[in-house]
Amino acid sequence: MDVSFLGGPRPQRGIGVVAPFDFALDRELWRWVPDDISLHLTRTPYVPVEVSLDLARLVSEHETLHDAVRTLHAIAPEVVAYACTSGSFVGGIVGERAMCEAMTRAGAVPSVTTSGALLEALTDLGVRRVALVTPYTVSVTRSLEEYVAEAGVTVSGCAFMGLTRHIWKVPYREVVAMAHQAVRGHADALFISCTNLPTYDVIPQLEAELRIPVLSANQVTMWAALRRLGTRAVGPYQALIDPAARIGPVRPVLPDEEQQQEGWT
C-alpha cells in the first residue's frame, strides 16, 4: 500500500491578501490560484461608511495597511496583495506606489495592489484604449478614469452602476449588460472594476462576444501576485492568463482615433 501521503501535506507557498472589511468574494479569489498556493486573508477594521471616495481613503491609510500586513507576519507569505481597486487608485499612481512601499516595509516581502496590477496587465497586453465598467458612484468612477489616464491609457467608454453597498450581490447578467454598454467604438480591452464585484465566470463569455481581452479586479490582483511567485494564475479562456485565448495582437491606434473622445454613460 502506498502510504507516502503520511509524510504530510504538500508544501504550500503563501500569498497574504489584505481586503477591505466588507469584502465578500474570498471564494472567487481562490479560483485563480493553483493547488500549491495558499491564500491568507485579513481585513481592514470596520468603519461605518458606504462605498465612496471617503471609504477608499480610509481603507488604504498606511497605518491600516501596516497593521493588516503585520497580522500576516507569522504565516510568512512570500508576497502581499492589497485587494481593493478604489482604495489603491484614490491616491493616483504616486499614492499606489506609496501603498506598496508601506506594505513591503511592514512585511518585508514584495507587495502589489489591484490598481497597480491593472496597469501592469494593460502594459502586458499592449493596451492603449480601455473601456471601464464599475459598480461605483460617478465620483468614484471618475477617480478611476483619472488614474488610468495618468498612466497614459485612453478611456474609450465607461458605464457605472451607482452602488454604495452590497456590490457582491450584483448578478452576472448585469455585469454583462454594463460591459456591452461600456464598449463603444474601439477599445483594446475592457476592465471591470471592484474586487467585490463577481466576474470569474463572465470573462470568457465577454471575451468571445466583444473580441477583446476582459480584465477584472480580482483577476489582475491574483495574476500579479502569482507572477511575483514565478507561477501562473488559473483562468481557462481568459486572455490575460491563457495565451491560447488571445485573439491576436492589439491593433495599433491611429492618430485620428487618439483625438476622438467618446461620451460617458
Side-chain angles (χ1 to χ4, degrees), residues 69-82:
V69 173
R70 291 299 294 173
T71 66
L72 299 167
H73 188 72
I75 305 169
E78 295 181 48
V79 62
V80 171
Y82 177 73

Side-chain angles (χ1 to χ4, degrees), residues 8-22:
R10 292 177 57 188
Q12 294 280 298
R13 305 177 70 189
I15 296 176
V17 179
V18 177
F21 64 89
D22 63 346

Side-chain angles (χ1 to χ4, degrees), residues 76-259:
E78 295 181 48
V79 62
V80 171
Y82 177 73
C84 178
T85 324
S86 60
S88 52
F89 67 61
V90 68
I93 290 177
V94 170
E96 188 279 332
R97 290 173 179 167
M99 290 174 65
C100 287
E101 292 171 1
M103 290 189 293
T104 294
R105 285 196 302 272
V109 293
S111 301
V112 300
T113 73
T114 300
S115 294
L118 166 62
L119 299 188
E120 187 177 333
L122 294 177
T123 298
D124 191 71
L125 292 171
V127 172
R128 296 176 63 187
R129 293 172 65 86
V130 66
L132 302 175
V133 167
T134 90
Y136 313 131
T137 61
V138 61
S139 60
V140 182
T141 300
R142 293 295 181 252
S143 184
L144 172 59
E145 294 172 3
E146 292 166 4
Y147 175 81
V148 171
E150 186 183 355
V153 178
T154 299
V155 177
S156 63
C158 183
F160 58 92
M161 301 176 188
L163 302 179
T164 60
R165 56 186 303 189
H166 295 165
I167 291 172
W168 66 90
K169 296 181 180 180
V170 174
Y172 279 151
R173 64 178 177 275
E174 291 187 25
V175 177
V176 170
M178 295 295 283
H180 283 276
Q181 195 173 348
V183 179
R184 298 181 305 228
H186 174 66
D188 297 326
L190 169 71
F191 174 60
I192 305 171
S193 191
C194 190
T195 54
N196 233 359
L197 186 65
T199 57
Y200 187 95
D201 294 305
V202 301
I203 292 173
Q205 174 188 343
L206 284 172
E207 290 192 337
E209 293 172 353
L210 301 173
R211 306 294 290 174
I212 56 175
V214 174
L215 310 176
S216 78
N218 284 329
Q219 177 206 47
V220 298
T221 304
M222 289 296 95
W223 169 80
L226 289 161
R227 239 186 171 194
R228 301 303 189 277
L229 297 183
T231 190
R232 294 175 57 182
V234 178
Y237 308 109
Q238 299 179 22
L240 178 64
I241 294 166
D242 182 3
R246 298 188 184 184
I247 296 167
V250 172
R251 181 177 66 82
V253 178
L254 302 176
D256 60 330
E257 290 177 331
E258 288 281 12
Q259 299 171 7

